[in-house]
Structures are given as C-alpha cells and as structure tokens.
Amino acid sequence: MKYKKFLVTGGLGFIGGNFLKLLTSKYTKSKFLNIDKHTYAASKDLAFNLKKNKNYFFKKIDICDFKKLKKEFYNFNPDIVIHFAAESHVDNSIKKPDDFVITNIIGTYNLLKLLNRKIKIIHISTDEVFGEANKKSFTESTNYNPRSPYSATKASSDHLVRAWSNTYGINYNIVNCSNNFGPFQNNEKFIPVIINSLLKKKKIPLYGNGRNIREWIYVEDFVNAIDFLIKKNFQNETFLIGSGYAIENINLIHRIIKIMKNKTKIKIEKNQIKYVVDRAGHDKVYKINSNKIRKLGWKHKTNLNNGLSKTIDHYINKSKKVL
Ligand SMILES: NC(=O)c1ccc[n+]([C@@H]2O[C@H](COP(=O)([O-])OP(=O)(O)OC[C@H]3O[C@@H](n4cnc5c(N)ncnc54)[C@H](O)[C@@H]3O)[C@@H](O)[C@H]2O)c1
C-alpha cells in the first residue's frame, strides 16, 4: 500500500467502521487514525472491534472544532484522508437541520483547510445530491439537484471539495454512493428498522404508499470500492457507486420477511405494515449508473438476498446479546 498514514473521519459510523475493519487488517503496515465525535450514531460494537488492531488509533474530536482537529492532524501528518464523518439521517435533517449544516459543511471545510497538494482526500458522498431520478439513472455528469436538508449539505460539501481542488490544487476523489446496508448500521435506518420491528413483533412503519425506489449496496462492496479507488490512485475524479439492485420499499419489506421466515419462527401478521405519513419532500426514485468504476475493474460481489441474509443474521445475533 502506497499510503502509510490514513486519517479517517467518522470511523465509528456504519460505513467508516466497516471500512476501518477491512483496511486495518489488510494494510497492517499502514497506520489509521480515526477522528470521530462519537455522536449517537457511533457504534459501540465497531469501537470495540477496532481497538484490537495495533495500527488503529482513535481520537474523540468534533471536526467542527478546528483547533483540536488541526492539532491532531499535524501530529499525525496523514498522507491520505478518508472523510466519512457526517450527520447522515434524512429524517433528522428535516427535524433539526442545524447539525447537518454545521458538521457536513463546516466540518468538511475545516478538513479542506488542513490539506495540501500532497495529501489526498477521498470524500464520501451520496447519490441524493442528484435529487430524484427520472427514467435515467444518475451518472457522474448528472446535474446536482438536492431536495432535502441532508442532501443539500452533502452537495455543498462536494462543491467545496471541487472548489478547493480547482483553487488550491488539492487531489480528491468524490464517491457518490447509493443506500448502503449491512452489519453495524444504526437502528434508525430503514433496513434495521424492518428487521428489528419483526424481531420485536412490532409493526413496520412505511412512508407513503411504499412505492419509492431505492438502490441498495452491501456495505462490504462499497468499502471494497473505496479500497479499489485508493489503490488505483486517480486524481480529481468522481465515481458513482451502486449495485444495480433497485427495489420499491414495500417489496424490500416483503423480501426481508421472506428471508426472516426461513431463519426464525416469527409469525407475520396480516397488517404487519403500518403506513405512516410520507416524509416531507420524499424523493421517489434514486438509481445509479456505475459504469465508470465498473469499466475500470471494480464489481460488487454480494447480491441483494445474500446481503440481506447476512444483515439479518447480524441483527438476530445482536438481539440475542441484548436479551
Ligand atoms: N449510509 C448510507 O446509506 C450512505 C449512502 C451514501 C453516502 N453516505 C455517506 O457516507 C458517510 C458515512 O455514512 P454512515 O451511514 O456511516 O453514517 P453514520 O451516521 O452511521 O456515521 C457517521 C459517523 O460520523 C461521526 N460524526 C458525526 N458528526 C461528526 C463530527 N462533527 N465530527 C466527527 N465525527 C462526527 C458519528 O459519530 C458517526 O460515527 C456519510 O458522509 C454519508 O453521507 C452514506
């Protein structure tokens, strides 16, 4: 591995933690400093898992606290920054946008101020910056059209990264990814909500008519895509990453129910789904065209059913530990 010092932000979160789990064991000669504010979204299980690795270091820091961030940044002296830290839940951004504007925009700005031409940044972003997909899937050249406070702050951070490259010559990759799922995702997100509702014999809340379409990628595949891009070392490029598995929310629930019926003795009620008032400004469809990275040799390995099965196993095991 060319890079010896990785500074990772938000590495106690779902994707950042899965990324660190993979890379700390794969690149044992590199050091990894995880800077995370340890918000409600940080995973205690991931923190416990990661601290076993000798090349892993952790500092509890808010990326919006520039003074502290700067001190740790210069002490560690990274050659690459992988920026996951963000407020990430759309519903929270509708109720309380402040934290999103502060962390996602100011936090990214603070990191950019510390970079120079020799330090690369991989900025982790979302397909939601493109708004709603019509008949066509999003590509790297789709215009930005963010429609929620969350996606607007992520779009702002993408713009900052590109502006810093154009103006100050920093070297970046931006990855706009579809919805991730897998082990260690926070219970507030859609797939853990479905699984946990079933495990707790509760109704599954579903927005609107349930016909919204989302594309789902298994987190290990996304993390492998980031690893792929680190190794390929492209300069100032954007990549859209998805699996191609786009499915209506209602059908995703039925799929999970089917898999869970084979794994557990859960009884499914006729009115297991509780339709709730739709999310404000809810985008109907997100769909990604990942041909750019696929042509370069990356491919996802986990199909939707296998990924769901592994994810369900994770939450079943977790529920047993809680009992
Ligand atoms: N989860 C998805 O489906 C998805 C899809 C596309 C893109 N993304 C992007 O990927 C990144 C990671 O998403 P995730 O799902 O792992 O998020 P997450 O909410 O699970 O984790 C975010 C992490 O960032 C930390 N954090 C939050 N504010 C911070 C701050 N001010 N300073 C330092 N650390 C802070 C939290 O403590 C947490 O550990 C985000 O940038 C998100 O926008 C996520």
Side-chain angles (χ1 to χ4, degrees):
M1 166 51 61
K2 166 184 157 68
Y3 295 106
K4 296 292 167 233
K5 287 184 182 180
F6 286 76
L7 188 142
V8 175
T9 70
L12 292 183
F14 165 50
I15 306 177
N18 275 291
F19 171 83
L20 277 168
K21 239 168 107 257
L22 176 79
L23 267 74
T24 48
S25 51
K26 191 165 174 187
Y27 302 123
T28 49
K29 290 193 177 129
S30 299
K31 288 182 176 167
F32 295 82
L33 173 64
N34 178 12
I35 285 187
D36 195 299
K37 184 180 171 184
H38 212 296
T39 68
Y40 78 94
S43 156
K44 287 196 186 96
D45 294 341
L46 278 168
F48 180 75
N49 247 280
L50 288 169
K51 66 179 181 202
K52 294 177 199 155
N53 300 322
K54 286 195 180 112
N55 56 344
Y56 170 77
F57 306 89
F58 173 70
K59 290 278 175 189
K60 184 178 171 184
I61 291 176
D62 181 343
I63 55 169
C64 302
D65 183 339
F66 186 65
K67 219 169 144 193
K68 282 195 188 154
L69 178 68
K70 184 176 170 186
K71 187 170 162 249
E72 290 308 328
F73 192 98
Y74 286 139
N75 272 347
F76 185 64
N77 194 21
D79 41 29
I80 187 163
V81 174
I82 320 290
H83 180 31
F84 295 96
E87 286 292 337
S88 68
H89 191 40
V90 179
D91 287 344
N92 294 343
S93 86
I94 295 167
K95 288 180 216 138
K96 200 169 174 274
D98 298 39
D99 291 347
F100 287 73
V101 172
I102 295 166
T103 286
N104 300 1
I105 303 178
I106 307 291
T108 303
Y109 165 62
N110 281 345
L111 271 176
L112 290 171
K113 283 195 284 183
L114 295 168
L115 298 180
N116 61 42
R117 285 167 189 264
K118 288 190 193 139
I119 310 170
K120 181 166 188 170
I121 182 165
I122 302 204
H123 176 59
I124 311 301
S125 192
T126 167
D127 59 347
E128 299 186 31
V129 298
F130 302 115
E132 217 168 49
N134 296 319
K135 281 182 190 141
K136 280 190 185 166
S137 305
F138 304 133
T139 71
E140 284 75 8
S141 51
T142 301
N143 288 338
Y144 275 46
N145 181 25
R147 289 156 43 91
S148 73
Y150 165 67
S151 56
T153 60
K154 292 299 289 185
S156 307
S157 64
D158 291 6
H159 290 321
L160 285 174
V161 172
R162 289 197 187 94
W164 252 247
S165 172
N166 184 56
T167 311
Y168 305 108
I170 64 149
N171 176 8
Y172 77 88
N173 282 172
I174 294 176
V175 286
N176 299 96
C177 190
S178 66
N179 279 12
N180 277 237
F181 72 102
F184 304 106
Q185 189 163 31
N186 193 283
N187 287 339
E188 69 189 355
K189 300 286 167 57
F190 189 44
I191 288 183
V193 165
I194 302 171
I195 299 169
N196 287 325
S197 301
L198 288 166
L199 288 173
K200 290 177 185 160
K201 300 186 176 78
K202 285 184 176 168
K203 291 192 185 227
I204 304 163
L206 179 61
Y207 279 134
N209 61 7
R211 297 287 170 202
N212 298 52
I213 295 174
R214 296 291 177 265
E215 182 168 328
W216 293 95
I217 184 168
Y218 190 60
V219 67
E220 266 176 30
D221 282 327
F222 180 43
V223 160
N224 275 315
I226 302 169
D227 180 31
F228 173 87
L229 293 176
I230 293 169
K231 284 186 289 202
K232 289 277 182 188
N233 213 12
F234 301 107
Q235 287 214 356
N236 306 334
E237 292 279 347
T238 296
F239 296 91
L240 265 55
I241 298 171
S243 62
Y245 300 118
I247 183 169
E248 286 183 347
N249 289 342
I250 179 87
N251 291 335
L252 181 66
I253 293 179
H254 288 307
R255 218 179 253 230
I256 291 174
I257 288 176
K258 198 169 168 197
I259 301 172
M260 280 189 73
K261 269 186 177 167
N262 290 330
K263 287 184 187 285
T264 66
K265 288 179 188 144
I266 51 157
K267 233 180 103 213
I268 309 297
E269 305 295 335
K270 259 192 184 155
N271 52 356
Q272 189 73 50
I273 298 170
K274 180 181 164 198
Y275 289 88
V276 295
V277 177
D278 208 356
R279 171 189 277 168
H282 204 178
D283 289 331
K284 289 276 176 298
V285 183
Y286 299 136
K287 259 199 239 168
I288 280 193
N289 174 335
S290 339
N291 284 349
K292 181 174 171 185
I293 188 168
R294 286 178 192 277
K295 278 184 188 155
L296 294 164
W298 171 81
K299 51 178 185 251
H300 73 275
K301 292 188 184 140
T302 314
N303 72 32
L304 187 58
N305 276 1
N306 288 342
L308 287 174
S309 173
K310 289 196 240 181
T311 308
I312 290 166
D313 290 343
H314 171 85
Y315 288 96
I316 290 177
N317 288 335
K318 205 174 157 191
S319 72
K320 284 181 188 155
K321 280 183 201 155
V322 171
L323 289 174

